[in-house]
Amino acid sequence: MNVKAPQGASTFIRFDPRFLHPILMSSSEASVSKPAPSLSSPRLLHSLRDENQSILSLMADDRHIFVGGQCQDISVWDKQSYTLRTSLRGHTGSILALELAEHKQWLFSASGDSTVRIWSTETFDAIHVLHPYLETGAGDLFSLAWNPVLRTVYVGCQNTSIQWFNFSRSPQEQFCSGTSTPTRKVHKFFDSYPQYTHKPADLLANNLSGCYSPPLDKNVIQIPALNVLDSAHFGYIYCMTVMPSRRTGSDDTALQLDTTYHLLTGSGDETVKIWTCTSTGPVLKHTFECNHGAVLSLAVMGDTIFAGCQDGYVQVFDFETRTLVRTIIVQENIDVLSLSMLHSELYTGSANGQIQQWSPTFNCIASWSAHEGSVLSSIVTHSFQANTIVLVSGANDGFVKIWDIDSPSKATSAPLSENRLPEAEDDSHDIMTYALSIFVSIPSVSSDPLHLEDCRQAAIWLKKCLHQLGAGSILLPTSEHGSPLVLATFHGTQGKHPKPRILFYGHYDVISAPRDGWDSDPFTVTGRNGYLYGRGVTDNKGPIMAVACAAAELLRKRALGVDLVFLIEGEEETGSAGFMSAVSAHKSQIGDIDAILLSNSTWITEYPPCITYGLRGVVHATVGISSGVPDQHSGIEGGARAEPMFDMIRLLATLTDSQRKVSIPDFYDRVRPQTEDEKQLYELLSSVTHSPASVLSSRWREPSLTVHNVSVSGPGNPTVIPGMVTTKLSLRIVPDQDLDTISRALVSHLNASFDAFGSPNKLSITIDHTADWWLGDLDDPWFKALESAVREEWSVEPLRIREGGSIPSVPCLEKMFGCRALHLPLGQSSDRAHLPNERISLANLQRGKAVLERFLTKVADGCRPPLSTSHNDDDHVDAGS
């Protein structure tokens, strides 16, 4: 349709979606872009920080994302774990285009070094190097397209030619048959043919003689002169794609695919050309004039062609009628560098980092700032499990980002209580990460009274989440102002024998997260290079979600053969006050338990995986010394009184000897001696961690004393004698030390030592908190089943480790339910729990879930071992047993 504009006005055509006719607009009216709608963006699933400075090209198959950029290598990222699998090396120029031949399992890469390389997507080996005709003159190879019917790859070149190679025909056939190169017509921007300084000798000889002689390297392929379409455009060929022809079925209703493909090319000459693909090369069928700058990107959906232009427009053409359907104004004068399609919706990527989503009626329905640089490439692909569709975008900020365009995030737009998990048919990995993102967004900091309500909301959300996953769930009260417990049970299928009942213990509260030191919002899960960052992702919200999704997956498959009871508290980070009394009060609701499982720590290194079988206990105490008088000036009273600070220094000095051993009488009497098997285990761990075995032993199986701080009354400046000095200290205890005995011995020693000073000052001692030690049984069938599950999933023998910290609830739960506890850490040593940039590996989370599925299946199939636990020599078995 031609529309005449008033003379002297620069005009364009814009179609109003409410009408079927064009609206004429002047350039002054068009200069103000329509503001983007205020809609929430898709959920960012992950960010990959690629070694490429600029992401110039993207491609994906079922398992991998391929990234090409400035650094000359192609990065291969694993779709499941979002970790770097390998790099494909060989090019000496930027990777400008990538294309996939899925049925052949080939990846094509085109480069600024004027070669196309072909790689196996199975082995990642280089298969062929494809040299264009007139290698030194083809210039940068900007674009690629693969025709699966003709098995032909097309190359768009800087010298304006289209070149191709047919892999179903021999090189000799392609060199010695076919049509001649078409004559180039003169264009106003080009007044002569491209000039070349020289030709490779072998190519020159082959093409002058008109026959084929194979190159010396059989892996090197040379495009013959007959496979070149010179001056296909009058500008660089920036983009190309193929589209299948369609013909009407015999019933005149159903559209069926024909075997014919068309090649679409977009160029700096502001045109899109349609070529019919034949066995002898492309034949021009039609040219669309875009008139909005260079055509930088192309996309096809059915018979509709989308052309992204340099001036910020997308031209929409109908293939069958050869007409302009619509001009979409994306953002004026901002290059549209990438286009991607999902169903009938278009995604545009622009030079200002924006991505916009357009409806089938060409309305902008979402817009978001995706990158801090130009969006240079994008693709739509399936997730690893192939039932979720994602948009992958790459930019010159060096990031590849994966967006969930199947299910836009509800976390930012719906009240917390209304957040729902994806439907059951969605993959459990996606459910796990989505649920974790909501869970982490609740700042359930138990140490801060201002977050008390957040802790309650976290409990409410977790109860609903576990219910959605298939468990029956309730909240149990603790103390008057305490955070509730979440009690939920996944009921397994009843078989011939009584079902084992396993209690999973965890905590939904987290440590505080001041923003200093964080690279992202601590309460927003952020994916970077295979890791999920956020407060609580490793301690302990991530593991809770992994266990819950493992149970839900088995339940969905009707394969859960145990009852899995979740008991999740909200005050673990503050000492679990009221936890055991609440468990005792509601023990009948919890029911009988055969084994206890927790996942509340990390591996000793980054790899291999570990199983924790021991924890130290702890006694926390506060010691105060007071003069009974207010703070005084040291210049007036200094030397005249016995100062509490001196007494405190002398008193603390009595707690250790010159070898740093604890001086409390009888302190070491019941420490279990190290066995020969334990020594060998520590030597093995020493070789893995590169830490001396003696250091590991000191951290894990030997008791210790720590003075945490000394505080004073008054302002604390150097002219004041404080009237009160207070210190916080702790004792770490190990098997077989008795918690109450050690607590009494500490108090007795401090009192006796202070009395010996003859000081007029007053001593006060309080035991603030205690937790018993815990030691698992390495010969226990439950432990063997867990170890076997880890071994099978990771294909490596897991390390058996202990830890120097304490988890108060574990030994208490063992005593209350009369069964053993198992501790499966999911995180790595670099997870930074309690620190800024806390993280967990996505692969660890996913494979940890798989380990738990294996474990639950094993214990359901095996025997139910009746065990009881108490702290005595007969019950606890050490590493050497």
Side-chain angles (χ1 to χ4, degrees):
M1 180 184 299
N2 295 320
V3 181
K4 291 187 177 180
Q7 286 188 334
S10 175
T11 63
F12 65 93
I13 298 175
R14 173 178 175 183
F15 281 79
D16 190 304
R18 298 168 297 177
F19 305 100
L20 298 178
H21 57 82
I23 300 172
L24 195 64
M25 304 177 68
S26 68
S27 58
S28 59
E29 185 181 358
S31 63
V32 180
S33 298
K34 181 181 179 181
S38 179
L39 297 176
S40 61
S41 65
R43 183 165 61 100
L44 177 62
L45 295 177
H46 217 86
S47 293
L48 308 177
R49 185 67 172 92
D50 200 84
E51 61 184 0
N52 289 290
Q53 295 177 356
S54 290
I55 311 302
L56 303 175
S57 52
L58 293 167
M59 189 50 62
D61 63 9
D62 289 341
R63 292 173 296 167
H64 307 102
I65 297 172
F66 303 95
V67 181
Q70 283 184 315
C71 81
Q72 305 174 4
D73 297 340
I74 302 166
S75 303
V76 183
W77 293 85
D78 186 273
K79 264 189 177 181
Q80 182 179 18
S81 65
Y82 294 129
T83 53
L84 185 65
R85 177 80 181 274
T86 188
S87 293
L88 309 182
R89 296 184 170 90
H91 282 294
T92 58
S94 298
I95 313 300
L96 303 176
L98 295 171
E99 179 62 296
L100 202 64
E102 291 190 80
H103 74 286
K104 296 183 76 68
Q105 297 180 327
W106 285 358
L107 175 73
F108 295 90
S109 57
S111 172
D113 63 8
S114 202
T115 66
V116 174
R117 291 180 180 262
I118 306 165
W119 315 84
S120 167
T121 58
E122 284 293 303
T123 65
F124 305 121
D125 292 331
I127 301 174
H128 296 294
V129 179
L130 183 62
H131 291 272
Y133 175 66
L134 297 176
E135 180 178 356
T136 58
D140 294 345
L141 307 184
F142 287 116
S143 52
L144 290 168
W146 170 253
N147 185 323
V149 173
L150 296 179
R151 298 187 178 183
T152 298
V153 65
Y154 301 93
V155 185
C157 304
Q158 184 179 12
N159 73 343
T160 76
S161 69
I162 296 174
Q163 304 192 23
W164 63 93
F165 192 86
N166 188 327
F167 288 90
S168 63
R169 302 171 64 201
S170 69
Q172 186 171 2
E173 287 181 295
Q174 297 182 70
F175 267 84
C176 302
S177 64
T179 59
S180 59
T181 302
T183 304
R184 176 189 190 278
K185 77 173 183 179
V186 178
H187 186 273
K188 61 182 178 180
F189 295 115
F190 295 84
D191 56 5
S192 63
Y193 287 92
Q195 300 298 309
Y196 307 113
T197 56
H198 66 280
K199 300 178 181 180
D202 57 341
L203 281 176
L204 183 62
N206 286 338
N207 288 289
L208 287 176
S209 63
C211 60
Y212 173 77
S213 59
L216 296 179
D217 188 342
K218 65 179 181 179
N219 294 322
V220 175
I221 303 173
Q222 296 157 351
I223 295 178
L226 297 176
N227 288 19
V228 178
L229 194 61
D230 274 326
S231 304
H233 281 269
F234 299 107
Y236 301 161
I237 302 175
Y238 287 117
C239 49
M240 58 170 52
T241 189
V242 294
M243 64 180 295
S245 296
R246 293 177 180 266
R247 58 182 173 83
T248 305
S250 58
D251 58 358
D252 291 331
T253 57
L255 288 177
Q256 302 175 1
L257 291 181
D258 200 349
T259 57
T260 303
Y261 271 74
H262 288 92
L263 175 69
L264 278 61
T265 55
S267 170
D269 63 6
E270 306 186 47
T271 67
V272 173
K273 293 190 176 184
I274 302 176
W275 311 81
T276 299
C277 298
T278 71
S279 59
T280 56
V283 177
L284 182 63
K285 298 297 292 184
H286 187 77
T287 300
F288 289 114
E289 299 287 344
C290 291
N291 299 317
H292 283 294
V295 178
L296 304 174
S297 49
L298 284 170
V300 174
M301 180 57 63
D303 286 337
T304 306
I305 300 168
F306 300 85
C309 300
Q310 189 174 17
D311 289 348
Y313 295 72
V314 173
Q315 299 285 70
V316 186
F317 300 102
D318 181 74
F319 171 78
E320 186 174 1
T321 63
R322 308 289 199 267
T323 57
L324 174 69
V325 175
R326 182 69 57 90
T327 296
I328 300 174
I329 308 172
V330 180
Q331 290 170 300
E332 289 184 275
N333 300 315
I334 305 295
D335 298 354
V336 180
L337 297 166
S338 74
L339 297 176
S340 295
M341 300 294 304
L342 173 60
H343 307 309
S344 297
E345 293 182 349
L346 173 71
Y347 292 84
T348 59
S350 300
N352 61 354
Q354 290 285 121
I355 293 179
Q356 290 174 288
Q357 180 184 1
W358 303 84
S359 72
T361 55
F362 313 118
N363 292 317
C364 184
I365 56 177
S367 178
W368 68 98
S369 180
H371 291 270
E372 294 182 359
S374 299
V375 181
L376 300 174
S377 185
S378 66
I379 54 170
V380 169
T381 183
H382 286 284
S383 65
F384 177 76
Q385 292 75 25
N387 60 357
T388 299
I389 299 175
V390 297
L391 174 71
V392 183
S393 61
N396 62 4
D397 59 4
F399 280 96
V400 176
K401 296 189 177 183
I402 297 96
W403 308 90
D404 179 6
I405 56 175
D406 239 3
S407 53
S409 174
K410 304 175 184 67
T412 57
S413 58
L416 178 63
S417 60
E418 296 177 12
N419 287 148
R420 294 189 57 81
L421 300 181
E423 295 301 319
E425 64 266 22
D426 287 350
D427 181 74
S428 57
H429 285 338
D430 295 332
I431 293 174
M432 179 169 62
T433 54
Y434 176 69
L436 181 59
S437 69
I438 301 175
F439 201 8
V440 169
S441 71
I442 309 170
S444 49
V445 181
S446 56
S447 62
D448 188 347
L450 297 177
H451 287 290
L452 183 61
E453 177 59 20
D454 290 318
C455 291
R456 191 178 75 89
Q457 289 295 332
I460 293 171
W461 181 86
L462 181 59
K463 183 198 77 166
K464 293 182 177 180
C465 172
L466 295 175
H467 179 68
Q468 282 184 260
L469 291 174
S473 58
I474 59 173
L475 297 183
L476 300 178
T478 53
S479 58
E480 183 178 354
H481 299 291
S483 298
L485 306 182
V486 179
L487 176 64
T489 302
F490 289 88
H491 292 281
T493 304
Q494 183 64 59
K496 296 180 180 179
H497 305 287
K499 290 178 294 182
R501 287 177 54 81
I502 301 172
L503 185 146
F504 174 73
Y505 164 78
H507 63 93
Y508 60 78
D509 64 318
V510 297
I511 205 76
S512 62
R515 290 301 301 270
D516 290 347
W518 284 85
D519 294 333
S520 55
D521 183 353
F523 295 106
T524 299
V525 171
T526 305
R528 295 195 297 272
N529 291 354
Y531 289 89
L532 302 178
Y533 290 79
R535 177 58 84 222
V537 291
T538 195
D539 183 21
N540 185 230
K541 293 180 177 181
I544 289 173
M545 285 296 105
V547 179
C549 289
E553 181 69 8
L554 291 176
L555 198 63
R556 184 183 66 83
K557 296 176 180 177
R558 306 298 188 268
L560 182 63
V562 304
D563 285 350
L564 184 59
V565 181
F566 276 67
L567 187 61
I568 313 298
E569 68 160 309
E571 296 173 297
E572 191 271 348
E573 299 291 5
T574 54
S576 299
F579 173 71
M580 286 312 302
S581 59
V583 173
S584 179
H586 299 283
K587 186 179 178 183
S588 61
Q589 289 178 271
I590 298 170
D592 294 333
I593 298 298
D594 297 300
I596 298 161
L597 176 66
L598 66 150
S599 179
N600 196 19
S601 63
T602 60
W603 300 348
I604 191 175
T605 58
E606 299 298 281
Y607 186 83
C610 304
I611 299 179
T612 301
Y613 71 93
L615 299 166
R616 293 195 292 188
V618 68
V619 177
H620 284 286
T622 301
V623 180
I625 299 178
S626 172
S627 65
V629 298
D631 299 337
Q632 295 177 325
H633 195 294
S634 63
I636 299 174
E637 298 294 335
R641 293 182 177 275
E643 298 182 13
M645 182 63 79
F646 283 114
D647 285 348
M648 182 62 77
I649 293 170
R650 294 175 65 194
L651 184 63
L652 293 178
T654 69
L655 290 172
T656 58
D657 61 18
S658 60
Q659 303 299 315
R660 295 182 298 165
K661 295 292 186 180
V662 179
S663 300
I664 298 173
D666 305 324
F667 183 73
Y668 293 96
D669 285 359
R670 296 197 62 186
V671 174
R672 190 177 298 187
Q674 190 178 68
T675 66
E676 189 61 35
D677 286 347
E678 274 189 292
K679 292 178 182 178
Q680 293 179 10
L681 174 61
Y682 285 121
E683 290 296 334
L684 169 64
L685 296 175
S686 175
S687 66
V688 174
T689 62
H690 308 293
S691 295
S694 59
V695 172
L696 296 175
S697 177
S698 297
R699 291 174 180 171
W700 294 351
R701 68 160 340 272
E702 295 175 16
S704 65
L705 178 142
T706 299
V707 176
H708 301 286
N709 60 58
V710 177
S711 59
V712 298
S713 58
N717 65 48
T719 63
V720 174
I721 300 173
M724 179 73 182
V725 179
T726 304
T727 189
K728 297 280 188 180
L729 58 84
S730 68
L731 290 167
R732 296 287 174 174
I733 65 170
V734 297
D736 289 308
Q737 291 177 304
D738 181 74
L739 187 62
D740 293 336
T741 301
I742 294 297
S743 298
R744 290 194 300 269
L746 172 64
V747 174
S748 177
H749 174 79
L750 290 172
N751 280 325
S753 299
F754 186 77
D755 289 343
F757 297 163
S759 172
N761 297 321
K762 302 297 182 182
L763 173 68
S764 64
I765 306 168
T766 59
I767 302 298
D768 303 318
H769 171 67
T770 63
D772 216 342
W773 53 266
W774 167 72
L775 193 64
D777 181 356
L778 302 185
D779 294 322
D780 177 43
W782 294 95
F783 182 89
K784 294 292 187 183
L786 182 60
E787 193 171 47
S788 174
V790 175
R791 184 187 304 116
E792 290 174 7
E793 174 61 30
W794 289 93
S795 300
V796 68
E797 193 68 30
L799 299 178
R800 297 173 173 183
I801 65 171
R802 289 166 69 168
E803 291 192 17
S806 308
I807 303 177
S809 303
V810 175
C812 295
L813 289 171
E814 277 193 333
K815 290 178 180 178
M816 178 166 291
F817 292 102
C819 62
R820 291 289 188 185
L822 305 163
H823 193 175
L824 176 68
L826 296 189
Q828 298 167 303
S829 60
S830 61
D831 278 4
R832 299 179 60 84
H834 290 204
L835 299 174
N837 290 325
E838 179 181 346
R839 69 181 191 175
I840 192 169
S841 164
L842 183 57
N844 275 43
L845 203 60
Q846 293 169 344
R847 300 190 74 170
K849 170 181 166 290
V851 167
L852 291 157
E853 290 181 34
R854 292 177 184 271
F855 169 70
L856 295 174
T857 302
K858 286 177 180 292
V859 297
D861 294 340
C863 296
R864 177 180 173 181
L867 294 172
S868 61
T869 299
S870 61
H871 284 172
N872 58 53
D873 291 335
D874 295 330
D875 290 334
H876 277 288
V877 183
D878 63 23
S881 299

